[in-house]
Amino acid sequence: MEKSKVMQNEKFGEKDFQTIIGNLLRYGVWTSLSVAFIGGIVYLIHNGSQIEDYSVFKENDRNIFEVISTVYNGVIQGNGEYLIFFGIILLFLTPVFRVLLSLFSFLLEKDYLYVVITTIVILIIITSISFGFSH
């Protein structure tokens, strides 16, 4: 009885955030793999008999907003290639969401040194994504 009263009065703690972050990483990876796998099956159903020509490199130099728009439209249409790409995007976003959740955790804990460090990491991620897609 004594323990349940203590647990009711206990605040949302670091252990709870670690559990949420662990679940985010676990389910994020499984979700992205599932989407990519389904996309692979759809792609093979529609394009399994075609032979790809890898002798010519086709560069797609577009900015991030064009890429997101194209992937979104392709996923809505059920295009297997874009479902695979969406699964890869989800896989890349999983650790980004982990960093954002960590920032929220550090803000709640009022650990301002780690808030600054995590903000710098987020800015580095945003900068690398921005300059990586548009030259």
Side-chain angles (χ1 to χ4, degrees):
M1 187 73 170
E2 197 75 29
K3 188 175 182 179
S4 64
K5 286 182 182 179
V6 171
M7 289 182 75
Q8 288 175 351
N9 293 334
E10 187 177 313
K11 291 183 180 179
F12 197 71
E14 183 179 337
K15 188 174 181 179
D16 297 322
F17 266 109
Q18 295 301 323
T19 303
I20 291 171
I21 288 172
N23 287 334
L24 171 76
L25 294 173
R26 182 178 304 113
Y27 296 126
V29 169
W30 278 109
T31 302
S32 63
L33 290 176
S34 299
V35 169
F37 183 73
I38 291 169
I41 291 172
V42 170
Y43 182 79
L44 286 176
I45 288 172
H46 294 292
N47 303 320
S49 61
Q50 295 178 357
I51 298 174
E52 288 292 328
D53 181 22
Y54 293 112
S55 63
V56 178
F57 178 72
K58 300 170 194 162
E59 183 176 356
N60 292 324
D61 192 18
R62 299 179 290 176
N63 68 27
I64 186 72
F65 300 111
E66 291 176 23
V67 171
I68 290 172
S69 174
T70 305
V71 169
Y72 175 76
N73 291 330
V75 169
I76 294 299
Q77 294 171 0
N79 187 325
E81 183 179 1
Y82 291 109
L83 283 168
I84 295 169
F85 197 60
F86 182 62
I88 293 169
I89 289 172
L90 286 176
L91 188 63
F92 284 139
L93 286 178
T94 300
V96 173
F97 288 138
R98 187 245 187 266
V99 172
L100 290 172
L101 193 59
S102 296
L103 177 66
F104 183 68
S105 168
F106 295 141
L107 281 170
L108 286 179
E109 293 173 6
K110 297 179 182 173
D111 194 348
Y112 297 115
L113 174 64
Y114 284 107
V115 168
V116 171
I117 292 170
T118 307
T119 304
I120 291 169
V121 169
I122 291 171
L123 290 174
I124 290 170
I125 291 170
I126 291 171
T127 304
S128 65
I129 288 173
S130 298
F131 290 119
F133 275 98
S134 59
H135 299 288

